[in-house]
């Protein structure tokens, strides 16, 4: 799911889930009754993930898993209906394992994501999932796993494999500045590598202004350069975000994207509105998004237009 909320309004920062890490969530007791299936299903996924973490951790030493060991992750299911396209439903899964027998800043990760967005470290706001664009489950989505090392909360190194044991690597630098009481800036630079495309880079720059403790204006932008892009593939959005409490958020954004060396610099523009809230306990989050977009047609002078609806549920564990 694309956002954590309160810090976005108070400090001008949005914490994503896409390229961002899963939000930890404490285990919860089964209270019985009608909700037991949901609770037990979530607990089973968490227990399975933790058993993997304990097993791998024993490869590196004899320290007990508690208190230093930790697992966190999420399962996301999203339904997309786009005008002129067949409806589709996709599943995302991601997990992070902090292991006490591995060096303190080192962690393991695995899951399933859009392969290109995973490698280029695209910000959540500009993924196909959040732009309400269709994905081919066989061609676009892939399983992945790897090892990460975090240095001083600003530098992150990752090396892993995705579908077919194809390797990739990333080096990411991120920095947030609270410019004033109401204004914040976020910068992120990711260098990435994969054998068939060589090196590339993704730059993310976001600026936020809080009008009040619950309302913020945010400008988000990202650009990616690699052998597969037409010059620099870029995207930008400007929107207003309104918080209604923890994990409850409404937003309205104008979005535009394109490529600098394409036949038309602007490939698509549009507007999207999103509502997000918990629907079951604090760890099951619903997101409903509606968008109207004007993509570039085959003829340069002609633009199409279409509506899109997305309904997603994210279960954190």
């Amino acid at each position: 799911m694309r956002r954590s909320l309160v810090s976005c309004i108070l400090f001008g920062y949005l914490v994503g889930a896409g390229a961002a890490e899963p939000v930890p969530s404490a285990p919860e007791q089964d209270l019985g009754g009608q909700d037991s299936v949901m609770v037990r299903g979530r607990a089973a996924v968490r227990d399975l993930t933790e058993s993997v973490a304990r097993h791998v951790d024993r490869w590196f030493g004899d320290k007990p898993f508690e208190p230093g060991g930790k697992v966190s992750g999420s399962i996301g299911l999203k339904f997309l209906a786009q005008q002129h396209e067949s409806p589709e439903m996709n599943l995302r899964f991601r997990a992070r394992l902090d292991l006490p027998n591995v060096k303190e800043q080192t962690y393991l990760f695995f899951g399933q994501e859009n392969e290109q967005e995973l490698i280029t470290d695209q910000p959540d706001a500009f993924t196909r999932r959040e732009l309400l664009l269709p994905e081919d489950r066989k061609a676009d989505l892939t399983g992945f796993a790897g090892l990460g090392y975090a240095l001083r909360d600003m530098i992150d190194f990752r090396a892993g494999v995705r579908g077919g044991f194809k390797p990739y690597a990333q080096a990411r630098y991120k920095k947030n500045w609270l410019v004033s009481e109401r204004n914040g800036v976020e910068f992120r630079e990711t260098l990435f590598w994969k054998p068939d495309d060589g090196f590339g880079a993704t730059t993310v720059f976001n600026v936020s202004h809080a009008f009040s403790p619950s309302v913020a204006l945010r400008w988000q932008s990202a650009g990616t350069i690699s052998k597969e892009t037409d010059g620099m593939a870029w995207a930008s959005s400007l929107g207003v975000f309104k918080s209604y409490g923890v994990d409850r958020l409404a937003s309205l954004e104008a979005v535009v994207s394109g490529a600098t060396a394409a036949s038309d610099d602007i490939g698509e523009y549009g507007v999207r509105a999103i509502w997000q809230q918990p629907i079951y306990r604090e760890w099951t989050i619903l997101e409903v998004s509606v968008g109207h977009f004007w993509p570039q047609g085959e003829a340069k002078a002609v633009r199409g237009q279409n509506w899109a609806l997305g309904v997603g549920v994210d279960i954190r564990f």
Side-chain angles (χ1 to χ4, degrees):
M1 205 61 65
R2 71 188 298 249
R3 300 177 177 90
S4 292
L5 311 169
V6 177
S7 59
C8 141
I9 302 299
L10 296 180
F11 305 110
Y13 302 138
L14 287 172
V15 180
E21 301 302 332
V23 179
S25 181
E28 188 168 350
Q29 293 182 346
D30 182 0
L31 301 179
Q34 296 180 349
D35 62 5
S36 61
V37 173
M38 189 77 165
V39 174
R40 289 172 181 169
R42 173 179 178 263
V45 173
R46 183 182 177 86
D47 290 346
L48 178 61
T49 305
E50 186 170 310
S51 69
V52 172
R54 290 176 181 274
H55 180 74
V56 173
D57 188 49
R58 286 196 294 268
W59 298 349
F60 299 94
D62 299 323
K63 290 182 182 179
F65 190 74
E66 288 87 4
K70 178 174 68 172
V71 301
S72 60
S74 65
I75 301 171
L77 184 67
K78 188 158 189 175
F79 169 82
L80 173 64
Q82 189 180 48
Q83 191 176 1
H84 313 305
E85 298 285 347
S86 300
E88 65 177 45
M89 185 171 291
N90 284 322
L91 179 70
R92 295 289 202 279
F93 173 73
R94 48 189 164 185
R96 171 168 168 158
L97 317 179
D98 295 310
L99 308 179
N101 281 298
V102 182
K103 192 171 181 178
E104 185 177 349
Q105 294 90 350
T106 304
Y107 59 90
L108 301 178
F109 59 89
F110 61 89
Q112 183 187 43
E113 286 287 350
N114 180 289
E115 182 173 6
Q116 186 65 16
E117 293 167 357
L118 168 73
I119 295 169
T120 61
D121 195 23
Q122 285 301 305
D124 206 33
F126 302 127
T127 61
R128 295 185 67 86
R129 178 182 174 93
E130 291 302 324
L131 292 173
L132 302 177
L133 294 172
E135 291 179 298
D136 187 320
R137 280 177 287 183
K138 293 183 179 179
D140 295 332
L141 301 183
T142 185
F144 65 90
L147 182 70
Y149 179 77
L151 179 63
R152 297 182 181 178
D153 296 326
M154 292 187 298
I155 300 175
D156 203 29
F157 299 99
R158 285 186 165 199
V161 294
R162 76 269 193 209
F165 297 99
K166 297 178 289 186
Y168 75 99
Q170 296 171 332
R172 177 170 63 182
Y173 172 82
K174 57 181 179 181
K175 178 67 174 177
N176 294 336
W177 293 273
L178 195 58
V179 179
S180 67
E181 188 178 82
R182 292 177 175 267
N183 299 289
V185 175
E186 176 185 0
F187 172 79
R188 191 178 85 206
E189 183 73 23
T190 301
L191 302 178
F192 57 86
W193 170 87
K194 60 177 181 174
D196 51 343
D197 191 29
F199 288 93
T202 296
T203 303
V204 178
F205 186 74
N206 301 324
V207 179
S208 302
H209 172 75
F211 293 108
S212 74
S214 64
V215 179
L217 177 71
R218 185 169 175 84
W219 171 50
Q220 304 178 88
S221 59
T224 297
I225 296 176
S226 73
K227 290 182 180 179
E228 293 183 347
T229 61
D230 291 327
M232 181 178 69
W234 58 270
S236 185
S237 71
L238 180 66
V240 177
F241 298 80
K242 168 68 175 176
S243 172
Y244 294 91
V246 177
D247 285 331
R248 293 179 182 269
L249 181 72
S251 64
L252 179 63
E253 299 170 88
V255 184
V256 60
S257 62
T260 57
S263 58
D264 190 332
D265 286 349
I266 298 178
E268 182 175 81
Y269 56 83
V271 293
R272 68 181 173 196
I274 297 176
W275 171 254
Q276 178 181 311
Q277 72 169 67
I279 56 171
Y280 180 78
R281 309 283 177 95
E282 74 282 359
W283 40 261
T284 305
I285 310 300
L286 170 71
E287 181 181 282
V288 179
S289 48
V290 179
H292 190 206
F293 302 96
W294 289 267
Q296 178 63 54
E298 294 183 4
K300 186 173 181 179
V302 178
R303 283 196 176 271
Q305 58 175 312
N306 61 68
W307 289 92
L309 169 69
V311 180
V313 176
D314 198 55
I315 301 174
R316 302 170 181 170
F317 62 87

